[in-house]
Amino acid sequence: MTTILIIEDEVELTKVLRSYLERANYQVISAARGDTGLTSWENSHPDLVLLDLNLPGMDGLDVARNIRHKDDTPIIMLTARIEEIDRLIGLELGADDYISKPFSPREVVARVKAVLRRANPSRESPEIVRAMDLEIDLNAHTVKRGKTTFDLTPTEFSLLVALAEFPGRVFSRLQLLEVVQGTAYEGYERTIDAHIKNLRAKLEKNPKKPQYLETVFGIGYRFRKE
Ligand code: CA
């Protein structure tokens, strides 16, 4: 199993990242300080480090330097300010990627996958998601059933991927809103219903009796598990 170490002092942020990463089948360990994070790295040899810049105990830059000094574990830096990114690049720390806060957890998962792919081409994760008779190409952004290609909007595509990657798992409207918008504001959940309706109209053979996108009464939606 691929292990991700999160070194971040914002507990809520760590919690959200953890749940998204675990959902993507990563094992997650975390530390809330720079110095303890470095110890965790030494003890657990993670496959990738998500590293906050401003940390108690030891600055994120020093943590990165210490890691780089010993090993080439991929590092993604999390920074609160855009100006910091220039500084980081200037320092040539050898971080593999930078993500500026605020970010969507989904974006972080995508970056983690991309950095791991680059670092470890042999363990490449699949670019094609197959769910029932649909073939979703994550690179080409296409959805096919046999020879039929469906024309989806970017929002519809993200929604479909989120659901189809985990058949049978129920997503609340708020979770899906976060997937398509990066953030989720309560009160806007019903916009998801409109997107699902459009998706069904495009994908389902009979939108009134959906075979792919099932409504879970009182909660949200799920992709049907075969
Ligand atoms: Ca911080």
Side-chain angles (χ1 to χ4, degrees), residues 19-34:
S19 80
Y20 270 78
L21 289 164
E22 286 179 347
R23 209 184 289 161
N25 277 329
Y26 295 112
Q27 187 180 325
V28 177
I29 46 178
S30 63
R33 297 169 53 95

Side-chain angles (χ1 to χ4, degrees), residues 15-210:
K15 220 194 245 173
V16 174
L17 286 176
R18 174 189 289 275
S19 80
Y20 270 78
L21 289 164
E22 286 179 347
R23 209 184 289 161
N25 277 329
Y26 295 112
Q27 187 180 325
V28 177
I29 46 178
S30 63
R33 297 169 53 95
D35 48 1
T36 57
L38 189 59
T39 310
S40 297
W41 174 79
E42 278 164 350
N43 294 337
S44 57
H45 303 286
D47 297 276
L48 183 142
V49 181
L50 279 173
L51 177 59
D52 183 29
L53 191 57
N54 299 312
L55 288 165
M58 183 189 281
D59 188 57
L61 293 178
D62 288 329
V63 176
R65 265 189 217 106
N66 273 283
I67 292 175
R68 265 299 157 274
H69 193 62
K70 295 173 188 160
D71 201 77
D72 58 359
T73 311
I75 300 171
I76 300 179
M77 300 286 302
L78 308 172
T79 77
R81 288 181 300 138
I82 284 291
E83 310 89 76
E84 282 173 340
I85 294 176
D86 290 337
R87 194 158 68 91
L88 289 172
I89 292 169
L91 285 169
E92 287 175 16
L93 267 179
D96 296 80
D97 205 350
Y98 311 85
I99 303 175
S100 60
K101 295 176 180 177
F103 45 69
S104 78
R106 193 162 174 82
E107 181 198 353
V108 176
V109 173
R111 299 280 198 98
V112 164
K113 282 184 184 169
V115 168
L116 282 171
R117 256 200 310 274
R118 278 207 305 269
N120 217 334
S122 58
R123 276 206 318 210
E124 194 160 326
S125 55
E127 301 299 323
I128 304 277
V129 174
R130 283 176 225 280
M132 297 187 61
D133 54 358
L134 294 181
E135 193 181 291
I136 307 167
D137 188 321
L138 301 180
N139 282 334
H141 269 240
T142 55
V143 180
K144 286 183 190 171
R145 179 171 59 223
K147 290 196 169 118
T148 312
T149 302
F150 298 99
D151 189 17
L152 304 186
T153 66
T155 299
E156 290 162 3
F157 186 82
S158 320
L159 258 187
L160 179 65
V161 170
L163 289 160
E165 272 185 319
F166 304 99
R169 172 171 289 167
V170 182
F171 290 84
S172 71
R173 289 179 176 81
L174 208 57
Q175 284 174 319
L176 293 172
L177 200 61
E178 199 174 303
V179 164
V180 300
Q181 297 191 338
T183 48
Y185 299 104
E186 274 177 58
Y188 291 86
E189 296 98 316
R190 295 288 154 182
T191 57
I192 291 299
D193 297 349
H195 293 306
I196 294 281
K197 191 173 170 222
N198 295 339
L199 259 178
R200 280 175 174 158
K202 289 178 181 179
L203 298 176
E204 301 281 0
K205 288 164 190 155
N206 178 358
K208 292 218 155 65
K209 284 188 180 169

